[in-house]
Amino acid sequence: MKQLMLVTSLFLVLCSMMAAQTVLEYWMWDPDLKDRTLSVIEKFEAENPGITVNLTVMEASDYWTKIRLMAMTKKLPDVFNLSSGYIEEWASKGFLLPLDKYVEKSLDQDSFYMNLFEAEKELANAESYYAVPFALVTTVLFFNKDMFDDAGLTYPNSDWRWDDFLEAAKQLTLDKDADGKIDQWGFWLYGRYAHIESWVFRNDGYLIDRSVMRFAPDKNGLNTLEFLTDLVTEYKVAPQPKEMAGVRQQDVFPRQLAAMWVDGSWNIDNNRIIAGDSFNWGIAEVPMGPAGMVDSAYGWPDFVAISNTTKEPEAAWKFAKFAAGEGLTMDMYMPGKIPSFKALAESEEFYSSDAQPDEMALLLDIAAKEMKSSFTMSWSEWRGYGAAEGAGLNSILDSIMNGDMTFEDGLKKMDTSINKILGKIYK
Amino acid sequence: MKRAQFSWYRPWHPWIFLIPTLIGLFVFRLGPMIASFFISFTEWDILTDPEWIGLTNYIDLFEDPDFLQILGNTFEFSLVYVVGVMFFGLLLAVLVNSKLKGITFFRSAYFVPVVTSSVAVGLVWNWLLSPNYGLINAVLEAVFKVTPPSWLGDRNIVLIVVAMVQVWKMAGYYMILFLAGLQEIPNMYYEAAKIDGASKFQSFKKITLPLLTPTTFFVFTIAIINSFKSFEIIYTMTQGGPSNATNTLVYSIYLNGFLFYKTGYASAMAYVLLVIVAIITYINFILKKRWVKYQY
């Protein structure tokens, strides 16, 4: 009898424990961060005894295909990482939990860069908050300080405009051995998004008319495209993209083949690896165009999102907020990525490093600005992203810069081919 | 007595051994092929349910100028690859088909690129072919005083260059096939020809080539099929660029299926590829009767 009572009471205790335990599934795409993410989860579970979080990590190349299939079969994890490129598609198709009531009532808004939440609304093309940003990337002008010193030029700063940039680029383009071939280019660019849109937004322009969701650059956008392609075809301060074939695009600057380069802030890491201390380099804001806006920049966050089918929205919100902010540590951020959680971004660890560049604090100034981007649904197709870099807008801009197409013919092709893709999505 | 030993045998017993393979074949090969056929008539982003759209994907394909360019690229790549691997495969096989001391080393050396990762091959060739900073152009400029082109940047030549890199990588594989064929040819034919005063070239033309035709036919068929499947080298070297110049059918299937998530469209492309390969292989088999000579 005693034994029966013992077993029954044990059974009841177990049942009550199981009933009280909330289990969340969390998916993320960076296997390098698995151990550190497990530490985040451990910390969260210690602070929230009733909640257990199961982590699934996979390579980014597999992540999107698998998580899409999970969404289709209604088995989405409760919480998962989401990138800016997909947020509109996922929000519009109803896979994400709207977070307005949580953001408004249970988020300490002073602790996050709230402009990134606003950027999220614009990215999602929606009125609601659908995800919590955890890392921002933006674009900057990388410049070789040694080359500037040799040319007797002052370093770029936030007041730099196109004329200043062009003048410096001309002086930095050198045929050092007088053999008729340029040995040092003033600038490096090709059709890549970060190389192009950075300038468009700093000239208060756009490529996508969001009122109709079509590729229809405004006057400032067109001027920017023309200015950039002219850098190669007319001013000849940057090489044709085909001249750099075979060199990884992100290695052109750290290998000192060009004195300036505009690309994502995450390239700080690659510069440190490739260049080391072989030369001095810095970062500055992307030069402003004639119509430029001081208070905006090109940038986009990565997010932690919550599934609309989660059975534990409160617990999922608690964890999403934690995994996007206070739970994280600076060593989980690649150099050049900016935490959305202010305490991290403004910590000593973020910008007082022995490694170059000295101007890391600039990233925080940019992070506080209004963020703009060109993401739409099917962005990777019309823009030419990743494995599709040889296609889309990339390909047309490269053709212009390689001299295979005139600027006017390129514009016509952009209009027909990009709007054909967008027309199928935004009917 | 012998009958008694096998009395347990039943005619269905072989199926026990076949079933594991057959299940794999049906689940992982035929199943996806059949599913892909039906998917090709749908619009499906693998996020929401597929929508049946009939032949729209196929119509869109043939109305898309980019697809016609991709189709052209595919045939051009295939032509360079098939001719290249057959020529160099045979050349290498003839060179290593001797009993010289240390010939095994050369046979192995020529085979090394076949087993080398395409990523490594692509990276190294990218460095070598870089227009301003690569070894090949540096040598051409220094020795021959010419201005070489941008091998990977000029859209008029890049596809041939990438196909030739793939030829370099795979020639060793076809060398092995040709070598097996060459060693099947009895030596007595060469001895008889020698007695009759035939030169080495005459022996090669009148004995080797005709008696090698069964192998040549096999190599030709396999090379055509492989040429249409070449993906990794394009992914590593050019990612379909510049300006779509190296975008082939199989690369485009990958982009549409796994980057743009236009699964229906990608499946339609895959079926166009299947039909092309099937037609070419069928023609090849028909023409076989005219030029393949079997010894036995």
Side-chain angles (χ1 to χ4, degrees):
Chain A
M1 190 61 189
K2 269 185 183 175
Q3 274 181 333
L4 182 68
M5 279 177 69
L6 189 67
V7 170
T8 311
S9 53
L10 264 174
F11 179 74
L12 287 171
V13 168
L14 272 173
C15 282
S16 63
M17 275 176 72
M18 281 173 75
Q21 200 66 24
T22 299
V23 180
L24 295 176
E25 295 296 329
Y26 173 45
W27 279 31
M28 53 90 80
W29 60 57
D30 192 344
D32 288 344
L33 293 180
K34 186 177 178 183
D35 290 341
R36 274 168 268 181
T37 307
L38 284 170
S39 305
V40 173
I41 290 171
E42 206 176 304
K43 210 159 54 171
F44 176 77
E45 287 173 345
E47 286 179 22
N48 299 273
I51 306 174
T52 304
V53 181
N54 295 329
L55 175 68
T56 303
V57 185
M58 61 190 80
E59 292 287 349
S61 51
D62 300 327
Y63 183 83
W64 294 110
T65 304
K66 287 191 179 163
I67 204 163
R68 287 175 86 90
L69 286 168
M70 295 296 277
M72 206 195 81
T73 51
K74 302 190 170 37
K75 290 176 186 164
L76 258 186
D78 303 276
V79 184
F80 54 96
N81 287 11
L82 186 66
S83 69
S84 286
Y86 289 121
I87 196 161
E88 183 184 355
E89 182 184 21
W90 284 64
S92 66
K93 290 178 180 171
F95 292 103
L96 306 180
L97 184 74
L99 302 178
D100 301 82
K101 67 174 182 182
Y102 300 106
V103 172
E104 277 150 24
K105 287 180 187 161
S106 70
L107 181 82
D108 175 11
Q109 299 199 1
D110 289 336
S111 64
F112 280 89
Y113 287 108
M114 287 308 289
N115 59 327
L116 303 187
F117 281 81
E118 297 312 312
E120 181 268 298
K121 273 187 179 175
E122 195 175 322
L123 284 162
N125 209 359
E127 293 300 315
S128 287
Y129 298 115
Y130 278 105
V132 190
F134 69 91
L136 169 76
V137 285
T138 183
T139 57
V140 290
L141 174 75
F142 295 94
F143 63 97
N144 185 316
K145 290 181 176 174
D146 292 352
M147 289 179 183
F148 269 76
D149 291 343
D150 291 346
L153 294 167
T154 52
Y155 296 156
N157 57 48
S158 294
D159 296 328
W160 249 35
R161 293 193 168 257
W162 286 3
D163 291 345
D164 304 306
F165 162 79
L166 184 58
E167 191 50 40
K170 282 178 182 169
Q171 291 192 47
L172 289 161
T173 302
L174 302 174
D175 174 9
K176 291 178 181 172
D177 52 10
D179 65 348
K181 287 173 77 175
I182 301 297
D183 306 296
Q184 175 189 300
W185 290 99
F187 187 56
W188 158 237
L189 88 162
Y190 73 110
R192 184 178 166 81
Y193 60 103
H195 291 207
I196 304 294
E197 275 91 315
S198 310
W199 296 82
V200 172
F201 295 125
R202 286 282 283 171
N203 190 33
D204 196 20
Y206 59 78
L207 299 180
I208 300 294
D209 181 348
R210 292 197 174 269
S211 63
V212 286
M213 291 313 281
R214 289 291 182 273
F215 180 83
D218 64 346
K219 192 175 151 225
N220 295 340
L222 283 175
N223 284 346
T224 312
L225 293 181
E226 196 163 15
F227 173 73
L228 291 174
T229 51
D230 280 353
L231 292 175
V232 177
T233 57
E234 192 180 324
Y235 303 118
K236 299 190 191 309
V237 295
Q240 290 181 313
K242 67 181 178 187
E243 290 180 61
M244 287 295 169
V247 180
R248 289 196 319 159
Q249 82 86 14
Q250 64 269 40
D251 293 349
V252 172
F253 175 78
R255 283 174 60 181
Q256 303 201 70
L257 306 178
M260 291 185 283
W261 170 45
V262 166
D263 206 325
S265 52
W266 63 89
N267 284 293
I268 287 172
D269 192 44
N270 187 60
N271 285 355
R272 286 177 181 173
I273 293 166
I274 304 289
D277 291 324
S278 60
F279 68 96
N280 295 306
W281 56 278
I283 55 171
E285 272 195 270
V286 176
M288 243 186 323
M293 277 176 70
V294 184
D295 296 327
S296 64
Y298 179 36
W300 57 96
D302 282 333
F303 300 100
V304 179
I306 300 173
S307 158
N308 204 14
T309 52
T310 182
K311 292 188 174 91
E312 303 290 348
E314 299 294 330
W317 162 252
K318 258 187 185 177
F319 179 67
K321 192 172 58 163
F322 189 81
E326 62 176 293
L328 302 179
T329 48
M330 261 326 291
D331 59 0
M332 297 179 80
Y333 287 87
M334 181 192 229
K337 286 198 170 188
I338 309 156
S340 61
F341 192 62
K342 283 183 182 170
L344 274 183
E346 290 162 12
S347 67
E348 283 276 303
E349 223 180 330
F350 177 74
Y351 55 93
S352 63
S353 159
D354 292 338
Q356 299 189 76
D358 295 334
E359 304 83 3
M360 282 297 276
L362 172 74
L363 294 179
L364 299 184
D365 296 339
I366 299 176
K369 295 188 176 193
E370 181 195 357
M371 287 298 145
K372 296 192 169 188
S373 81
S374 62
F375 285 114
T376 65
M377 289 196 268
S378 287
W379 177 82
S380 55
E381 186 179 0
W382 71 258
R383 194 61 191 75
Y385 173 68
E389 279 214 339
L393 181 55
N394 263 14
S395 132
I396 301 169
L397 288 169
D398 286 355
S399 290
I400 297 169
M401 290 190 267
N402 280 334
D404 296 329
M405 198 182 273
T406 63
F407 184 74
E408 288 69 28
D409 288 345
L411 275 184
K412 280 181 204 155
K413 190 161 185 205
M414 288 174 207
D415 182 49
T416 48
S417 62
I418 296 174
N419 283 331
K420 190 176 163 194
I421 295 165
L422 291 173
K424 284 187 179 174
I425 302 287
Y426 301 97
K427 288 169 183 163
Chain B
M1 192 66 186
K2 269 188 178 175
R3 275 180 79 88
Q5 273 181 359
F6 292 103
S7 59
W8 51 267
Y9 177 80
R10 298 289 179 274
W12 51 267
H13 280 175
W15 288 103
I16 297 172
F17 299 96
L18 287 173
I19 277 172
T21 307
L22 286 176
I23 288 174
L25 191 68
F26 275 94
V27 172
F28 297 111
R29 290 279 171 152
L30 289 175
M33 278 176 73
I34 294 163
S36 176
F37 179 70
F38 288 106
I39 291 167
S40 75
F41 298 104
T42 67
E43 187 176 311
W44 189 33
D45 57 8
I46 66 167
L47 190 62
T48 46
D49 293 336
E51 183 190 339
W52 188 267
I53 54 168
L55 289 170
T56 308
N57 283 328
Y58 290 93
I59 294 165
D60 283 355
L61 267 181
F62 288 98
E63 282 180 351
D64 182 359
D66 284 345
F67 176 71
L68 299 178
Q69 187 196 349
I70 288 165
L71 211 53
N73 290 346
T74 310
F75 283 116
E76 190 180 335
F77 185 95
S78 180
L79 182 71
V80 175
Y81 178 80
V82 173
V83 172
V85 291
M86 291 195 67
F87 176 77
F88 287 104
L90 181 59
L91 183 69
L92 291 175
V94 170
L95 287 175
V96 299
N97 186 29
S98 70
K99 293 191 171 92
L100 287 175
K101 208 175 173 186
I103 199 69
T104 319
F105 168 77
F106 288 99
R107 286 179 188 167
S108 310
Y110 293 137
F111 195 72
V112 166
V114 180
V115 290
T116 305
S117 133
S118 292
V119 177
V121 169
L123 278 177
V124 170
W125 276 103
N126 264 1
W127 293 335
L128 289 172
L129 291 164
S130 175
N132 294 323
Y133 313 100
L135 183 68
I136 290 174
N137 278 13
V139 170
L140 287 174
E141 280 177 38
V143 178
F144 300 101
K145 310 288 177 205
V146 292
T147 309
S150 171
W151 302 106
L152 298 172
D154 186 334
R155 63 179 181 178
N156 297 314
I157 57 168
V158 61
L159 189 69
I160 297 169
V161 173
V162 175
M164 284 309 293
V165 172
Q166 185 67 354
V167 168
W168 175 85
K169 184 180 183 324
M170 294 305 293
Y173 171 72
Y174 298 96
M175 171 195 79
I176 296 290
L177 298 177
F178 275 123
L179 190 59
L182 286 174
Q183 293 184 347
E184 277 292 299
I185 301 172
N187 210 29
M188 61 183 180
Y189 296 131
Y190 295 107
E191 284 167 358
K194 203 174 175 183
I195 291 166
D196 288 344
S199 66
K200 280 198 170 175
F201 179 71
Q202 283 172 319
S203 292
F204 180 75
K205 195 177 161 192
K206 300 284 184 185
I207 300 169
T208 309
L209 284 183
L211 292 182
L212 199 61
T213 48
T215 308
T216 310
F217 169 73
F218 176 71
V219 167
F220 188 50
T221 309
I222 294 292
I224 288 172
I225 293 170
N226 283 345
S227 72
F228 285 107
K229 285 164 54 184
S230 293
F231 167 79
E232 293 96 334
I233 203 74
I234 293 169
Y235 183 76
T236 318
M237 290 188 74
T238 58
Q239 302 206 312
S243 310
N244 256 336
T246 53
N247 197 354
T248 59
L249 262 179
V250 77
Y251 194 74
S252 198
I253 289 168
Y254 166 75
L255 292 183
N256 281 287
F258 297 99
L259 192 66
F260 309 151
Y261 294 111
K262 291 162 67 177
T263 316
Y265 195 71
S267 297
M269 254 184 199
Y271 266 86
V272 170
L273 178 63
L274 179 76
V275 169
I276 290 170
V277 174
I279 290 172
I280 291 174
T281 309
Y282 180 70
I283 293 170
N284 201 7
F285 268 86
I286 300 241
L287 293 178
K288 179 176 100 165
K289 291 168 199 158
R290 298 190 179 191
W291 63 278
V292 178
K293 296 174 176 62
Y294 288 98
Q295 281 187 72
Y296 309 109

